[in-house]
Short mmCIF file of all heavy atoms in Angstrom, two decimals:
data_model
loop_
_atom_site.label_atom_id
_atom_site.label_comp_id
_atom_site.label_asym_id
_atom_site.label_seq_id
_atom_site.Cartn_x
_atom_site.Cartn_y
_atom_site.Cartn_z
N TYR A 283 0.86 -1.18 0.00
CA TYR A 283 0.00 0.00 0.00
C TYR A 283 0.90 1.23 0.00
O TYR A 283 2.13 1.13 0.06
CB TYR A 283 -0.95 0.01 1.21
CG TYR A 283 -0.23 0.01 2.54
CD1 TYR A 283 0.09 1.21 3.18
CD2 TYR A 283 0.14 -1.19 3.16
CE1 TYR A 283 0.76 1.22 4.39
CE2 TYR A 283 0.80 -1.18 4.37
CZ TYR A 283 1.12 0.02 4.98
OH TYR A 283 1.79 0.02 6.17
N HIS A 284 0.30 2.44 -0.05
CA HIS A 284 1.08 3.67 -0.12
C HIS A 284 0.71 4.63 1.00
O HIS A 284 -0.25 4.42 1.73
CB HIS A 284 0.87 4.35 -1.48
CG HIS A 284 1.33 3.52 -2.64
ND1 HIS A 284 2.65 3.23 -2.86
CD2 HIS A 284 0.64 2.93 -3.65
CE1 HIS A 284 2.77 2.49 -3.94
NE2 HIS A 284 1.57 2.29 -4.44
N GLY A 285 1.48 5.72 1.10
CA GLY A 285 1.17 6.79 2.03
C GLY A 285 0.26 7.83 1.38
O GLY A 285 -0.28 7.62 0.31
N GLY A 286 0.13 8.98 2.02
CA GLY A 286 -0.72 10.02 1.48
C GLY A 286 -2.19 9.72 1.73
O GLY A 286 -2.56 9.07 2.71
N HIS A 287 -3.05 10.18 0.83
CA HIS A 287 -4.49 9.91 0.93
C HIS A 287 -5.01 9.11 -0.25
O HIS A 287 -5.90 8.27 -0.09
CB HIS A 287 -5.28 11.24 1.01
CG HIS A 287 -5.03 12.02 2.25
ND1 HIS A 287 -4.14 13.07 2.31
CD2 HIS A 287 -5.53 11.90 3.51
CE1 HIS A 287 -4.11 13.57 3.52
NE2 HIS A 287 -4.94 12.87 4.28
N ILE A 288 -4.47 9.38 -1.44
CA ILE A 288 -4.97 8.77 -2.67
C ILE A 288 -3.81 8.16 -3.45
O ILE A 288 -2.73 8.75 -3.53
CB ILE A 288 -5.70 9.81 -3.54
CG1 ILE A 288 -6.91 10.38 -2.80
CG2 ILE A 288 -6.13 9.21 -4.87
CD1 ILE A 288 -7.58 11.54 -3.51
N SER A 289 -4.05 6.99 -4.01
CA SER A 289 -3.07 6.35 -4.87
C SER A 289 -3.69 6.10 -6.24
O SER A 289 -4.91 6.17 -6.41
CB SER A 289 -2.61 5.00 -4.27
OG SER A 289 -1.86 5.20 -3.11
N GLY A 290 -2.85 5.79 -7.20
CA GLY A 290 -3.37 5.50 -8.53
C GLY A 290 -2.33 4.83 -9.40
O GLY A 290 -1.14 4.80 -9.08
N VAL A 291 -2.79 4.26 -10.50
CA VAL A 291 -1.89 3.62 -11.47
C VAL A 291 -2.45 3.83 -12.87
O VAL A 291 -3.65 3.72 -13.09
CB VAL A 291 -1.74 2.11 -11.16
CG1 VAL A 291 -3.09 1.40 -11.16
CG2 VAL A 291 -0.81 1.46 -12.16
N GLY A 292 -1.56 4.18 -13.79
CA GLY A 292 -1.95 4.37 -15.18
C GLY A 292 -1.05 3.55 -16.08
O GLY A 292 0.10 3.27 -15.74
N TYR A 293 -1.56 3.18 -17.27
CA TYR A 293 -0.82 2.31 -18.18
C TYR A 293 -0.45 3.06 -19.45
O TYR A 293 -1.31 3.56 -20.17
CB TYR A 293 -1.66 1.08 -18.49
CG TYR A 293 -1.83 0.20 -17.28
CD1 TYR A 293 -2.94 0.35 -16.44
CD2 TYR A 293 -0.87 -0.74 -16.94
CE1 TYR A 293 -3.08 -0.44 -15.30
CE2 TYR A 293 -1.00 -1.53 -15.80
CZ TYR A 293 -2.11 -1.38 -14.99
OH TYR A 293 -2.24 -2.15 -13.87
N LEU A 294 0.87 3.11 -19.70
CA LEU A 294 1.42 3.82 -20.86
C LEU A 294 1.84 2.88 -21.97
O LEU A 294 1.78 3.22 -23.15
CB LEU A 294 2.62 4.67 -20.44
CG LEU A 294 2.39 5.65 -19.29
CD1 LEU A 294 3.70 6.34 -18.93
CD2 LEU A 294 1.34 6.68 -19.69
N LYS A 295 2.31 1.69 -21.59
CA LYS A 295 2.75 0.68 -22.55
C LYS A 295 2.36 -0.70 -22.02
O LYS A 295 2.32 -0.91 -20.80
CB LYS A 295 4.28 0.72 -22.76
CG LYS A 295 4.79 2.00 -23.37
CD LYS A 295 6.31 1.98 -23.52
CE LYS A 295 6.74 0.99 -24.58
NZ LYS A 295 8.21 1.05 -24.82
N LEU A 296 2.08 -1.63 -22.96
CA LEU A 296 1.76 -2.99 -22.57
C LEU A 296 2.41 -3.96 -23.56
O LEU A 296 2.57 -3.63 -24.74
CB LEU A 296 0.24 -3.22 -22.57
CG LEU A 296 -0.58 -2.49 -21.50
CD1 LEU A 296 -2.07 -2.70 -21.74
CD2 LEU A 296 -0.20 -2.97 -20.10
N PRO A 297 2.75 -5.14 -23.10
CA PRO A 297 3.28 -6.15 -24.03
C PRO A 297 2.19 -6.62 -24.99
O PRO A 297 1.00 -6.44 -24.72
CB PRO A 297 3.73 -7.29 -23.10
CG PRO A 297 2.94 -7.09 -21.86
CD PRO A 297 2.72 -5.62 -21.72
N LYS A 298 2.60 -7.21 -26.10
CA LYS A 298 1.61 -7.71 -27.07
C LYS A 298 0.72 -8.76 -26.45
O LYS A 298 -0.46 -8.87 -26.78
CB LYS A 298 2.34 -8.27 -28.29
CG LYS A 298 3.11 -7.19 -29.07
CD LYS A 298 3.85 -7.80 -30.25
CE LYS A 298 4.63 -6.71 -31.00
NZ LYS A 298 5.41 -7.27 -32.13
N ASN A 299 1.28 -9.56 -25.57
CA ASN A 299 0.47 -10.50 -24.78
C ASN A 299 1.23 -10.81 -23.49
O ASN A 299 2.45 -10.60 -23.40
CB ASN A 299 0.16 -11.78 -25.55
CG ASN A 299 1.40 -12.62 -25.81
OD1 ASN A 299 1.87 -13.34 -24.94
ND2 ASN A 299 1.93 -12.53 -27.03
N PHE A 300 0.50 -11.30 -22.49
CA PHE A 300 1.10 -11.57 -21.19
C PHE A 300 1.56 -13.02 -21.04
O PHE A 300 2.04 -13.41 -19.98
CB PHE A 300 0.11 -11.24 -20.08
CG PHE A 300 -0.20 -9.77 -19.96
CD1 PHE A 300 -1.46 -9.28 -20.23
CD2 PHE A 300 0.79 -8.88 -19.57
CE1 PHE A 300 -1.74 -7.93 -20.12
CE2 PHE A 300 0.52 -7.53 -19.45
CZ PHE A 300 -0.75 -7.05 -19.73
N GLY A 301 1.41 -13.81 -22.09
CA GLY A 301 1.79 -15.21 -22.02
C GLY A 301 0.70 -16.07 -21.43
O GLY A 301 -0.23 -15.58 -20.79
N GLY A 302 0.81 -17.37 -21.68
CA GLY A 302 -0.22 -18.29 -21.21
C GLY A 302 0.10 -18.91 -19.87
O GLY A 302 1.15 -18.66 -19.27
N THR A 303 -0.82 -19.72 -19.38
CA THR A 303 -0.61 -20.45 -18.13
C THR A 303 0.11 -21.75 -18.45
O THR A 303 0.02 -22.28 -19.56
CB THR A 303 -1.94 -20.76 -17.45
OG1 THR A 303 -2.78 -21.50 -18.37
CG2 THR A 303 -2.67 -19.47 -17.08
N TYR A 304 0.85 -22.27 -17.47
CA TYR A 304 1.57 -23.52 -17.67
C TYR A 304 0.61 -24.69 -17.84
O TYR A 304 0.88 -25.63 -18.59
CB TYR A 304 2.52 -23.77 -16.50
CG TYR A 304 3.64 -22.75 -16.43
CD1 TYR A 304 3.70 -21.81 -15.41
CD2 TYR A 304 4.62 -22.72 -17.42
CE1 TYR A 304 4.72 -20.86 -15.36
CE2 TYR A 304 5.65 -21.78 -17.38
CZ TYR A 304 5.69 -20.85 -16.35
OH TYR A 304 6.69 -19.91 -16.31
N GLN A 305 -0.51 -24.64 -17.14
CA GLN A 305 -1.53 -25.67 -17.29
C GLN A 305 -2.65 -25.12 -18.18
O GLN A 305 -3.31 -24.14 -17.83
CB GLN A 305 -2.10 -26.07 -15.93
CG GLN A 305 -1.06 -26.66 -14.98
CD GLN A 305 -1.68 -27.04 -13.65
OE1 GLN A 305 -2.70 -27.73 -13.60
NE2 GLN A 305 -1.05 -26.60 -12.56
N LEU A 306 -2.86 -25.74 -19.31
CA LEU A 306 -3.84 -25.25 -20.28
C LEU A 306 -5.27 -25.35 -19.77
O LEU A 306 -6.17 -24.71 -20.31
CB LEU A 306 -3.70 -26.02 -21.60
CG LEU A 306 -2.33 -25.89 -22.29
CD1 LEU A 306 -2.32 -26.69 -23.59
CD2 LEU A 306 -1.99 -24.43 -22.57
N SER A 307 -5.49 -26.14 -18.72
CA SER A 307 -6.84 -26.32 -18.18
C SER A 307 -7.28 -25.16 -17.29
O SER A 307 -8.44 -25.09 -16.89
CB SER A 307 -6.91 -27.62 -17.38
OG SER A 307 -5.99 -27.59 -16.29
N LYS A 308 -6.36 -24.24 -16.98
CA LYS A 308 -6.71 -23.11 -16.10
C LYS A 308 -7.79 -22.24 -16.75
O LYS A 308 -7.71 -21.89 -17.93
CB LYS A 308 -5.47 -22.27 -15.81
CG LYS A 308 -4.41 -22.97 -14.96
CD LYS A 308 -4.92 -23.25 -13.56
CE LYS A 308 -3.83 -23.87 -12.71
NZ LYS A 308 -4.31 -24.18 -11.35
N LYS A 309 -8.79 -21.85 -15.94
CA LYS A 309 -9.88 -21.03 -16.45
C LYS A 309 -9.52 -19.55 -16.48
O LYS A 309 -10.09 -18.78 -17.23
CB LYS A 309 -11.12 -21.24 -15.59
CG LYS A 309 -11.68 -22.65 -15.65
CD LYS A 309 -12.93 -22.79 -14.80
CE LYS A 309 -13.50 -24.20 -14.87
NZ LYS A 309 -14.72 -24.34 -14.01
N HIS A 310 -8.58 -19.13 -15.62
CA HIS A 310 -8.21 -17.72 -15.54
C HIS A 310 -6.71 -17.55 -15.67
O HIS A 310 -5.93 -18.35 -15.15
CB HIS A 310 -8.68 -17.12 -14.20
CG HIS A 310 -10.15 -17.25 -13.96
ND1 HIS A 310 -11.09 -16.51 -14.65
CD2 HIS A 310 -10.84 -18.07 -13.12
CE1 HIS A 310 -12.30 -16.84 -14.23
NE2 HIS A 310 -12.18 -17.78 -13.31
N ASN A 311 -6.31 -16.53 -16.39
CA ASN A 311 -4.90 -16.20 -16.57
C ASN A 311 -4.66 -14.83 -15.92
O ASN A 311 -5.14 -13.81 -16.41
CB ASN A 311 -4.55 -16.16 -18.05
CG ASN A 311 -3.08 -15.90 -18.30
OD1 ASN A 311 -2.33 -15.57 -17.38
ND2 ASN A 311 -2.65 -16.06 -19.54
N GLN A 312 -3.90 -14.81 -14.84
CA GLN A 312 -3.68 -13.58 -14.09
C GLN A 312 -2.42 -12.84 -14.54
O GLN A 312 -2.11 -11.78 -13.99
CB GLN A 312 -3.57 -13.88 -12.59
CG GLN A 312 -4.71 -14.72 -12.03
CD GLN A 312 -6.01 -13.97 -11.94
OE1 GLN A 312 -6.26 -13.05 -12.71
NE2 GLN A 312 -6.86 -14.35 -11.01
N ASN A 313 -1.70 -13.35 -15.50
CA ASN A 313 -0.44 -12.75 -15.92
C ASN A 313 -0.58 -11.26 -16.21
O ASN A 313 -1.44 -10.85 -17.00
CB ASN A 313 0.10 -13.44 -17.17
CG ASN A 313 0.55 -14.86 -16.91
OD1 ASN A 313 0.55 -15.32 -15.78
ND2 ASN A 313 0.95 -15.57 -17.95
N GLY A 314 0.28 -10.44 -15.58
CA GLY A 314 0.32 -9.01 -15.87
C GLY A 314 -0.81 -8.19 -15.31
O GLY A 314 -0.82 -6.97 -15.47
N LYS A 315 -1.75 -8.82 -14.64
CA LYS A 315 -2.91 -8.10 -14.12
C LYS A 315 -2.59 -7.47 -12.76
O LYS A 315 -1.67 -7.88 -12.07
CB LYS A 315 -4.12 -9.02 -13.99
CG LYS A 315 -4.61 -9.56 -15.33
CD LYS A 315 -5.83 -10.44 -15.15
CE LYS A 315 -6.31 -10.98 -16.49
NZ LYS A 315 -7.49 -11.86 -16.36
N ILE A 316 -3.36 -6.46 -12.41
CA ILE A 316 -3.25 -5.85 -11.08
C ILE A 316 -4.47 -6.27 -10.27
O ILE A 316 -5.58 -6.36 -10.79
CB ILE A 316 -3.16 -4.31 -11.17
CG1 ILE A 316 -2.97 -3.71 -9.77
CG2 ILE A 316 -4.36 -3.71 -11.88
CD1 ILE A 316 -2.68 -2.21 -9.80
N ALA A 317 -4.23 -6.57 -9.00
CA ALA A 317 -5.32 -6.96 -8.11
C ALA A 317 -5.38 -6.00 -6.93
O ALA A 317 -4.36 -5.73 -6.29
CB ALA A 317 -5.12 -8.40 -7.61
N LEU A 318 -6.56 -5.45 -6.67
CA LEU A 318 -6.81 -4.59 -5.52
C LEU A 318 -7.51 -5.43 -4.46
O LEU A 318 -8.47 -6.14 -4.75
CB LEU A 318 -7.69 -3.40 -5.91
CG LEU A 318 -7.21 -2.57 -7.12
CD1 LEU A 318 -8.18 -1.43 -7.39
CD2 LEU A 318 -5.82 -2.04 -6.90
N VAL A 319 -7.01 -5.35 -3.23
CA VAL A 319 -7.48 -6.23 -2.17
C VAL A 319 -7.97 -5.42 -0.98
O VAL A 319 -7.32 -4.47 -0.55
CB VAL A 319 -6.35 -7.18 -1.70
CG1 VAL A 319 -6.87 -8.16 -0.67
CG2 VAL A 319 -5.74 -7.92 -2.89
N HIS A 320 -9.14 -5.82 -0.44
CA HIS A 320 -9.67 -5.14 0.74
C HIS A 320 -10.46 -6.13 1.58
O HIS A 320 -11.40 -6.75 1.10
CB HIS A 320 -10.58 -3.98 0.34
CG HIS A 320 -11.13 -3.22 1.51
ND1 HIS A 320 -10.37 -2.41 2.30
CD2 HIS A 320 -12.40 -3.16 2.02
CE1 HIS A 320 -11.11 -1.87 3.25
NE2 HIS A 320 -12.34 -2.32 3.10
N GLY A 321 -10.08 -6.27 2.85
CA GLY A 321 -10.82 -7.14 3.75
C GLY A 321 -10.67 -8.62 3.40
O GLY A 321 -9.68 -9.04 2.81
N ALA A 322 -11.69 -9.41 3.76
CA ALA A 322 -11.69 -10.83 3.51
C ALA A 322 -12.95 -11.23 2.76
O ALA A 322 -13.97 -10.53 2.82
CB ALA A 322 -11.62 -11.60 4.84
N LYS A 323 -12.89 -12.32 2.03
CA LYS A 323 -14.05 -12.79 1.28
C LYS A 323 -15.18 -13.14 2.23
O LYS A 323 -15.01 -13.90 3.19
CB LYS A 323 -13.66 -14.03 0.46
CG LYS A 323 -14.82 -14.65 -0.31
CD LYS A 323 -15.27 -13.73 -1.43
CE LYS A 323 -16.33 -14.42 -2.30
NZ LYS A 323 -17.63 -14.54 -1.57
N MET A 324 -16.35 -12.56 1.98
CA MET A 324 -17.53 -12.83 2.78
C MET A 324 -18.73 -12.98 1.85
O MET A 324 -18.65 -12.66 0.66
CB MET A 324 -17.78 -11.68 3.77
CG MET A 324 -16.70 -11.50 4.82
SD MET A 324 -17.04 -10.12 5.95
CE MET A 324 -16.70 -8.73 4.85
N PHE A 325 -19.84 -13.45 2.39
CA PHE A 325 -21.05 -13.58 1.59
C PHE A 325 -21.44 -12.23 1.00
O PHE A 325 -21.53 -11.24 1.70
CB PHE A 325 -22.20 -14.13 2.45
CG PHE A 325 -23.52 -14.13 1.74
CD1 PHE A 325 -23.77 -15.02 0.71
CD2 PHE A 325 -24.50 -13.22 2.08
CE1 PHE A 325 -24.99 -15.01 0.05
CE2 PHE A 325 -25.72 -13.20 1.42
CZ PHE A 325 -25.97 -14.10 0.39
N ASN A 326 -21.65 -12.19 -0.30
CA ASN A 326 -22.10 -11.00 -1.02
C ASN A 326 -21.10 -9.86 -0.92
O ASN A 326 -21.45 -8.68 -1.06
CB ASN A 326 -23.46 -10.53 -0.50
CG ASN A 326 -24.18 -9.65 -1.51
OD1 ASN A 326 -23.93 -9.76 -2.70
ND2 ASN A 326 -25.06 -8.79 -1.04
N SER A 327 -19.84 -10.16 -0.67
CA SER A 327 -18.83 -9.12 -0.55
C SER A 327 -17.48 -9.68 -1.00
O SER A 327 -16.88 -10.49 -0.31
CB SER A 327 -18.72 -8.62 0.89
OG SER A 327 -17.71 -7.65 1.00
#
């Protein structure tokens, strides 16, 4: 996390692709993605 009050991220350049998963059966490919996290997984949240 960061200091201050507000943080942000912007994208200026991206690779042509982020590459595949090692296991082709994977339903989601997270390569190169950003994840924002808050709290813990709960019902309807």
Side-chain angles (χ1 to χ4, degrees):
Y283 60 91
H284 297 293
H287 294 98
I288 298 173
S289 292
V291 57
Y293 293 92
L294 306 176
K295 296 179 69 175
L296 292 173
K298 294 178 181 178
N299 67 79
F300 292 114
T303 57
Y304 294 111
Q305 299 180 50
L306 299 181
S307 61
K308 293 294 183 182
K309 295 181 180 179
H310 303 288
N311 184 350
Q312 309 289 28
N313 291 356
K315 296 181 180 179
I316 183 172
L318 307 180
V319 184
H320 181 70
K323 177 69 174 71
M324 296 179 287
F325 173 71
N326 201 26
S327 178

